[in-house]
Amino acid sequence: MKNYLFLISLIFFSCQEEITLDLPQAKGKLVVEGAIEPGFPPYVILTKNQGYFEPIDVNTYNDLFITDASVSVIRDDNTTHPLTLMTESLISQFETLLNTNINIPPNTIYIDLEELLNPTNFSIANRSYTLNIAWNNQS
């Protein structure tokens, strides 16, 4: 009986074939991550996508972040708040506000700085919001 088990396991585990996947090149797309929560300023982080098997290092990581877009949030009552890039000096205030350590490079978070520094409760529950992003001649 032990010989049969050994023979069966030898057959199943000795067959190996290398599989090569020919995946198409990933098309460049905009990746949007953000939040609007009551009591907090709206924020957005914009990055570019990358192929799953493409190598990544520090330079690649930094190049994924988009820092030249125009971003704004419009509430359903037509109140508009432009979002600007957060500077390194404001990141600690933002982290304190969210009670978290976000570990994101400086100048990569689009945030409503006016709302962060002088809260007016732009973010209200049960309201609709529109996010406008203009980047690379696209909206």
Side-chain angles (χ1 to χ4, degrees):
M1 181 69 171
K2 289 182 184 180
N3 289 339
Y4 288 120
L5 289 176
F6 176 74
L7 235 161
I8 290 172
S9 63
L10 186 64
I11 290 171
F12 282 116
F13 295 112
S14 65
C15 300
Q16 293 182 5
E17 182 178 334
E18 187 173 318
I19 298 173
T20 304
L21 300 175
D22 187 23
L23 299 175
Q25 185 69 22
K27 293 182 181 179
K29 296 197 180 219
L30 178 67
V31 179
V32 179
E33 177 185 348
I36 297 178
E37 297 181 42
F40 298 101
Y43 72 91
V44 172
I45 301 169
L46 300 177
T47 56
K48 297 176 261 184
N49 69 326
Q50 181 177 347
Y52 186 78
F53 292 110
E54 290 181 33
I56 189 163
D57 59 19
V58 173
N59 293 328
T60 307
Y61 179 73
N62 288 331
D63 290 340
L64 291 177
F65 289 95
I66 295 172
T67 59
D68 59 346
S70 174
V71 183
S72 64
V73 177
I74 304 168
R75 195 169 53 201
D76 57 11
D77 62 0
N78 289 328
T79 304
T80 301
H81 279 255
L83 304 184
T84 54
L85 282 173
M86 181 185 295
T87 61
E88 191 168 355
S89 62
L90 290 172
I91 287 181
S92 63
Q93 290 181 31
F94 187 63
E95 289 176 338
T96 302
L97 183 68
L98 293 179
N99 265 342
T100 186
N101 182 2
I102 52 180
N103 291 326
I104 294 177
N107 299 324
T108 58
I109 301 172
Y110 292 86
I111 191 163
D112 185 347
L113 292 177
E114 185 63 32
E115 184 69 22
L116 178 65
L117 300 175
N118 303 306
T120 61
N121 293 324
F122 172 77
S123 305
I124 302 171
N126 301 318
R127 300 298 291 263
S128 296
Y129 298 87
T130 302
L131 176 65
N132 289 327
I133 300 171
W135 178 66
N136 268 0
N137 297 321
Q138 294 183 347
S139 185

